[in-house]
Amino acid sequence: MNNLIRSTARCLRSGAAVYNVPGRADGRVWSAPARFLCAAADIQKDLGEMVKKDKVVVFMKGTPAQPMCGFSNAVVQILRMHGVDDYAAYNVLEDQDLRQGVKDFSNWPTIPQVYFNGEFVGGCDILLQMHQNGDLVDELKKLGISSALLDAEKESK
Amino acid sequence: MAVTADHIRDKLTKELEAVHVDVEDTSPNRCAASFKVLVVSSQFEGKPLLQRHRMVNTCLAEELKEIHAFEQKTLTPEQWEKQKSQ
């Protein structure tokens, strides 16, 4: 945490220096070294916004259409079973800063990671167990999402 | 140092006072980089799943840096008994 604060402070200082460069069209463009120094702090701020932007957010390896890992695939399949297809999926294989950043953000060592309403839910094991014990249906309901499994159950009655 | 199933079992047994630990090496070539664990501990009682998993992650924080894939199941002794009888 202290490191984060220190690097943020460094960012602010170098950011100010960049901002004062005369003739620069956009003062908010960071110079490369400043961007490097702030990468860790920036990504944490970005992640805070990313997880809140959509009701359901998944950080995974690959994409829902083409998962690159069995655990990420399992999360995609579970969500699909519940009829959840409108979610934000971020491919961590495309961005190494994001891959490490999201682990730091949630203090969770593995990918995939699932967020509901900005809150960390868990990884593949937790989502699978929530699916098995029925909690997932309830949690989706809290988000205003009616699980497709619930509809299927009603129809069969 | 390669992480072994025995090492994981010992650590979970000691630090989480687990009464039962199953460790399965799930790495395709047995390179000890992929594990599946079942941990039974009374320390999990009254704690939600996320918190239980976090306890295991914390216990194995050092090892997880070396481990590529990690699956876990966390049960209380009571849940474990129930599951065994099923």
Side-chain angles (χ1 to χ4, degrees), chain A residues 61 71 106-109 120-122 125-126 129, chain B residues 49-50 53-54 57 64 68-73:
Chain A
K61 292 182 180 174
F71 302 108
S106 53
N107 186 26
W108 189 260
F120 179 59
V121 175
D125 290 326
I126 289 184
Q129 282 173 65
Chain B
L49 203 50
L50 182 61
H53 282 223
R54 281 201 189 281
N57 289 344
L64 282 172
H68 172 71
F70 188 70
E71 293 168 77
Q72 55 171 306
K73 209 162 181 188

Side-chain angles (χ1 to χ4, degrees), chain B residues 20-64:
Chain B
H20 180 91
V21 181
D22 276 340
V23 185
E24 189 188 334
D25 186 342
T26 49
S27 29
N29 52 1
R30 290 279 179 273
C31 66
S34 175
F35 292 98
K36 187 174 184 172
V37 302
L38 164 72
V39 189
V40 182
S41 167
S42 54
Q43 287 188 7
F44 294 146
E45 268 161 35
K47 294 197 174 79
L49 203 50
L50 182 61
Q51 205 179 331
R52 294 180 188 189
H53 282 223
R54 281 201 189 281
M55 287 162 73
V56 173
N57 289 344
T58 305
C59 174
L60 298 175
E62 278 305 307
E63 291 75 11
L64 282 172

